[in-house]
Amino acid sequence: MLVGILHESAPGETRVALLPESLKSLVAQGIAVTVESGAGRVAGASDQAYIDAGAIVTSDRASILASADLLPLVNAPSPSDQSSLKPGAVVIGFLKPLDAPQALTAAIARPVTLFSMELVPRISRAQSMDALSSMATIAGYKAIIAAADRLPRLFPMLMTAAGTIPPARVFVIGAGVAGLRAIATARRLGAVVEAYDVRAAAGEQVRSLGAKFLDVDLGGISTEGGGGYAAELTEEALDRGRDLITRTAAHSDVIVTTAQVPGRPAPRLIRRAAVEAMRPGCVLVDLAAPAGGNCELTQPGVEQTLNGVTLLAPLNLPAEVPVHASQLYARNILNFLALIVKKGELTIDLADEVLAGACVSHNGNPVNPRVAKLLEAATTTS
Ligand code: NAD
């Protein structure tokens, strides 16, 4: 069996799916590994390090695509890469099957087996494969660092001979994995932190980090969507959150917003009025930008200054921390591979709920029912 590791081709991508240290268990099973030259360079892994770990390094991307039986990737392959894949190969990565399922049709038709890291079920057994959480942890940390860097004020309270500086006030919207990491990072830097989430369970976690949880009466509606995720709310319920956010924005120096509902556009929670209520110099980091953004003024990937307020809408913060992002991702991938590679051979048992949940397609047929439905809808409308 041949495992291929590609130099990720998406603009701005710096991560790599497997690092040299990841290869040990594969090579020990007699698996051959071919790496595209430069694949790990920005993530701190030289071609020589891959060679030392037992891989072959080549600049011939086409030959890797055509011959690899297993391709762990960070991002979905481009349509032209999909058409070059070896039929029957297995591809694993952040394939965005709920956001853009039609972008995978060339690979499905090849046919190759596609596993999406976004779809790995959130059950205890699969926690070590939870790449979404790994990347959200990095994004939450990095969002606070970016905000602290832009803010024309300090985060900690300082008592000096020249006077006292009050602590920065940080407001975190969406206290999931990224939000909780943002809260913890802001607290460590000395900020006073408030947070809001529709899931009541988030309240205790927010308070345990020394932050204040802002509660909104949503009239007792169900806000849990299963798997730890939030449900999509009605406009009326969203409005109650929006009012709280506008009020809180007026006294916040930094807002980091992370609210998402899987497979849906990000809820629009921050109105123009909330941004206008912020003082000049304040910073808003919209981590939901890849899903359209939580702020109605967000332009994904674009940095704006609006009435002196800096609005950041990063699309790939983990790529700004390529070494640790690749390290965590590679471990998630290796743990996933342990389910499908046994004694050096591919063995795919779709009776395993982790594999069935994460599988976009197998032998040319959609497997995950949510993705299957989306693909069917895309075919009937095209
Ligand atoms: P996510 O990225 O989908 O969403 C981020 C946060 O936004 C969530 O906390 C969500 O409740 C919140 N949100 C959604 N709509 C909102 C709205 N209208 N207003 C305010 N907030 C809104 O979620 P995530 O961070 O990946 O995970 C959420 C939770 O899932 C985690 O905090 C954790 O408890 C749980 N989780 C469980 C497992 C596991 O069991 N293996 C793994 C990871 C996370």
Side-chain angles (χ1 to χ4, degrees):
M1 177 167 73
L2 178 69
V3 171
I5 301 173
L6 294 180
H7 189 169
E8 294 288 326
S9 55
E13 188 54 79
T14 57
R15 295 168 290 176
V16 63
L18 287 177
L19 288 164
E21 69 215 35
S22 328
L23 304 190
K24 207 169 161 192
S25 63
L26 301 177
V27 172
Q29 293 180 63
I31 296 169
V33 181
T34 305
V35 180
E36 185 177 357
S37 179
R41 192 174 43 82
V42 188
S46 64
D47 286 354
Q48 189 59 46
Y50 281 108
I51 292 167
D52 294 345
I56 290 172
V57 173
T58 170
S59 299
D60 189 352
R61 181 183 181 87
S63 82
I64 300 178
L65 285 165
S67 58
D69 302 293
L70 178 57
L71 266 180
L73 297 171
V74 178
N75 301 296
S78 68
S80 79
D81 279 354
Q82 287 181 38
S83 323
S84 312
L85 290 166
K86 179 176 175 179
V90 174
V91 176
I92 305 163
F94 284 125
L95 304 182
K96 300 196 173 133
L98 298 176
D99 308 316
Q102 7 18 319
L104 299 171
T105 46
I108 294 171
R110 200 74 187 122
V112 298
T113 297
L114 299 175
F115 286 108
S116 157
M117 293 305 277
E118 294 97 326
L119 295 177
V120 169
R122 286 186 148 177
I123 56 174
S124 326
R125 187 164 73 84
Q127 261 178 3
S128 64
M129 305 159 208
D130 186 353
L132 277 184
S133 290
S134 301
M135 298 304 114
T137 299
I138 292 176
Y141 163 85
K142 201 64 184 165
I144 289 295
I145 301 301
D149 191 36
R150 302 306 174 90
L151 193 70
R153 310 167 76 92
L154 297 171
F155 261 44
M157 181 171 93
L158 289 185
M159 293 165 90
T160 79
T164 298
I165 287 174
R169 302 197 62 154
V170 173
F171 179 29
V172 175
I173 302 167
V177 180
L180 290 171
R181 180 58 54 181
I183 294 169
T185 307
R187 291 283 301 135
R188 280 191 198 168
L189 288 177
V192 169
V193 183
E194 296 176 300
Y196 166 61
D197 197 297
V198 284
R199 291 179 304 108
E204 202 179 314
Q205 292 170 308
V206 166
R207 284 187 285 270
S208 75
L209 291 171
K212 182 176 172 190
F213 187 68
L214 305 177
D215 243 331
V216 175
D217 179 6
L218 296 175
I221 58 163
S222 164
T223 56
E224 304 266 351
Y229 291 113
E232 198 172 15
L233 300 188
T234 60
E235 271 305 305
E236 192 201 334
L238 286 174
D239 261 342
R240 296 193 189 190
R242 289 176 182 126
D243 292 341
L244 168 97
I245 289 166
T246 305
R247 286 196 303 276
T248 311
H251 63 248
S252 300
D253 297 302
V254 167
I255 299 180
V256 171
T257 185
T258 74
Q260 301 224 41
V261 177
R264 306 291 309 148
R268 283 292 160 101
L269 297 171
I270 306 177
R271 301 183 182 119
R272 173 185 288 272
V275 179
E276 285 171 357
M278 295 175 81
R279 286 159 297 152
C282 293
V283 183
L284 196 168
V285 185
D286 194 341
L287 283 189
N294 290 143
C295 176
E296 64 183 26
L297 302 178
T298 289
Q299 293 177 27
V302 177
E303 180 176 332
Q304 304 178 71
T305 307
L306 305 160
N307 298 327
V309 173
T310 303
L311 170 49
L312 305 178
L315 292 174
N316 190 357
L317 277 183
E320 293 182 22
V321 194
V323 171
H324 284 145
S326 301
Q327 216 171 78
L328 294 180
Y329 186 66
R331 285 187 196 146
N332 294 140
I333 287 279
L334 261 193
N335 290 327
F336 188 88
L337 292 188
L339 298 183
I340 59 168
V341 179
K342 306 266 161 73
K343 294 187 181 145
E345 298 294 332
L346 274 170
T347 44
I348 296 172
D349 175 10
L350 290 180
D352 180 327
E353 65 177 315
V354 175
L355 295 183
C359 189
V360 173
S361 73
H362 183 50
N363 294 333
N365 301 310
V367 175
N368 179 294
R370 251 182 109 183
V371 183
K373 230 184 204 169
L374 289 171
L375 281 166
E376 201 184 307
T379 330
T380 36
T381 51
S382 66

